Amino acid sequence: SNLGLWIFFYLFIFSFQVVASENLKRVEAISVQGNVTIDTNAILNIMATKPGAPYFEALINDDLKKLFSQGYFEDVKILSEDLSKDSIRIIVEVKEKRLISEIGFTDSFAEINELGEKVKEAKVDHATVTVDSEAKKKITYEKTIVDTDMKIVEEEEIKSAISSKAGTYLDQKKIRDDMAIIEKLFYDKGYYLSKISYQLEEVGPSRVKLIFSVQEGYQVICKRINFLGNEHFNEEELKKVMHTNE
């Protein structure tokens, strides 16, 4: 009967599980290597595999995914070592992501703002920097004009706009996105040829200072917009629908 077949099936599965469990190795111990700032017990608590329990490959794979998903590690490996025919030791190797202790900018960024202020004071289009034989900085102004609209990107403006923050884990994708954000900030203020890069300065175990470097081109200021061939619309109407302004 169908009932008899179901009983036989369940008995077969149960007996198979008993035999299989007798052949499973026991996890004798779990050790963690490579962690610097994250406590060993915190890592072990994330894992479902525990000392004294049977060793399951599927459970180890789940533990690997859980550890990666925490966002603390650049790399995680879970290895096994046979201690006897019945017992096994688990070794968890981690490489922690480094913490950002501070976000800074190179001297080139400060120089951009210094020049911006000087340009405003001198009422010129732009300025260049030269260094004499005594390594003293000289500022040379070019093309004196009556008025200018030199816009400066402040450090705090950049820090507020980017995703990387002091006290968070270093993330290469975030840094790439942040460089694009910084480039756009300069672009929006007329620096169309800016180039953004970064460097990391080690300040301690698993801690770095993230330093952005900005190489800007001359700020482009639109002084006048001229239209040709506009027979049906006057200049003021056309300027209202443009993103570029005088």
Side-chain angles (χ1 to χ4, degrees), residues 38 40-50 62-63 65-70 72-73:
I38 301 174
T40 296
N41 288 330
I43 295 173
L44 295 176
N45 288 335
I46 295 169
M47 301 175 60
T49 301
K50 304 295 181 184
D62 286 343
D63 288 336
K65 293 176 183 176
K66 285 180 183 177
L67 289 170
F68 262 120
S69 68
Q70 301 303 307
Y72 304 145
F73 309 109

Side-chain angles (χ1 to χ4, degrees), residues 109-154:
F109 180 86
E111 189 172 89
I112 292 169
N113 282 350
E114 179 187 349
L115 289 179
E117 293 294 349
K118 295 292 185 182
V119 166
K120 279 185 174 181
E121 292 172 9
K123 296 187 180 297
V124 298
D125 273 332
H126 60 261
T128 57
V129 174
T130 58
V131 180
D132 63 15
S133 59
E134 297 179 359
K136 294 181 180 178
K137 184 164 56 178
K138 293 181 178 179
I139 298 176
T140 303
Y141 303 109
E142 299 179 8
K143 193 180 177 183
T144 302
I145 58 175
V146 176
D147 191 18
T148 187
D149 187 25
M150 189 74 179
K151 296 179 181 178
I152 299 173
V153 182
E154 302 288 351

Side-chain angles (χ1 to χ4, degrees), residues 16-245:
F16 176 79
Q17 290 178 337
V18 170
V19 173
S21 64
E22 290 177 352
N23 294 329
L24 288 174
K25 292 186 177 182
R26 180 173 55 85
V27 177
E28 183 69 25
I30 303 175
S31 63
V32 180
Q33 300 175 358
N35 55 315
V36 179
T37 61
I38 301 174
D39 186 69
T40 296
N41 288 330
I43 295 173
L44 295 176
N45 288 335
I46 295 169
M47 301 175 60
T49 301
K50 304 295 181 184
Y55 174 82
F56 290 102
E57 188 70 33
L59 200 58
I60 291 293
N61 291 334
D62 286 343
D63 288 336
L64 188 65
K65 293 176 183 176
K66 285 180 183 177
L67 289 170
F68 262 120
S69 68
Q70 301 303 307
Y72 304 145
F73 309 109
E74 287 184 18
D75 191 25
V76 181
K77 295 178 182 177
I78 300 182
L79 310 174
S80 61
E81 177 185 17
D82 288 333
L83 299 178
S84 69
K85 66 176 184 179
D86 299 323
S87 62
I88 196 169
R89 182 167 75 99
I90 302 298
I91 303 124
V92 182
E93 295 182 353
V94 300
K95 182 179 180 181
E96 294 181 4
K97 288 182 178 179
R98 290 172 289 181
L99 276 173
I100 300 172
S101 64
E102 182 184 352
I103 294 176
F105 301 89
T106 57
D107 291 340
S108 62
F109 180 86
E111 189 172 89
I112 292 169
N113 282 350
E114 179 187 349
L115 289 179
E117 293 294 349
K118 295 292 185 182
V119 166
K120 279 185 174 181
E121 292 172 9
K123 296 187 180 297
V124 298
D125 273 332
H126 60 261
T128 57
V129 174
T130 58
V131 180
D132 63 15
S133 59
E134 297 179 359
K136 294 181 180 178
K137 184 164 56 178
K138 293 181 178 179
I139 298 176
T140 303
Y141 303 109
E142 299 179 8
K143 193 180 177 183
T144 302
I145 58 175
V146 176
D147 191 18
T148 187
D149 187 25
M150 189 74 179
K151 296 179 181 178
I152 299 173
V153 182
E154 302 288 351
E155 288 188 14
E156 290 306 317
E157 183 180 359
I158 293 178
K159 289 180 179 180
S160 297
I162 61 178
S163 298
S164 299
K165 306 290 183 185
T168 64
Y169 286 102
L170 189 70
D171 188 308
Q172 296 294 339
K173 183 182 181 304
K174 279 186 178 181
I175 293 176
R176 289 193 296 270
D177 293 342
D178 289 341
M179 287 194 295
I181 289 170
I182 296 171
E183 185 175 344
K184 187 176 186 305
L185 285 174
F186 276 88
Y187 183 91
D188 289 344
K189 295 195 177 183
Y191 297 94
Y192 298 126
L193 301 177
S194 297
K195 293 181 180 179
I196 316 300
S197 59
Y198 77 95
Q199 61 193 58
L200 300 175
E201 181 182 309
E202 301 288 342
V203 296
S206 295
R207 299 178 70 86
V208 295
K209 180 179 179 180
L210 173 58
I211 303 170
F212 288 104
S213 176
V214 180
Q215 294 180 345
E216 98 295 359
Y218 290 131
Q219 187 183 52
V220 178
I221 301 172
C222 179
K223 288 299 176 183
R224 181 168 176 77
I225 301 173
N226 294 318
F227 297 91
L228 299 176
N230 51 315
E231 297 178 0
H232 301 290
F233 298 95
N234 63 44
E235 289 190 3
E236 295 305 317
E237 289 176 318
L238 293 173
K239 288 177 183 179
K240 287 180 181 179
V241 299
M242 295 179 63
H243 290 291
T244 302
N245 298 308

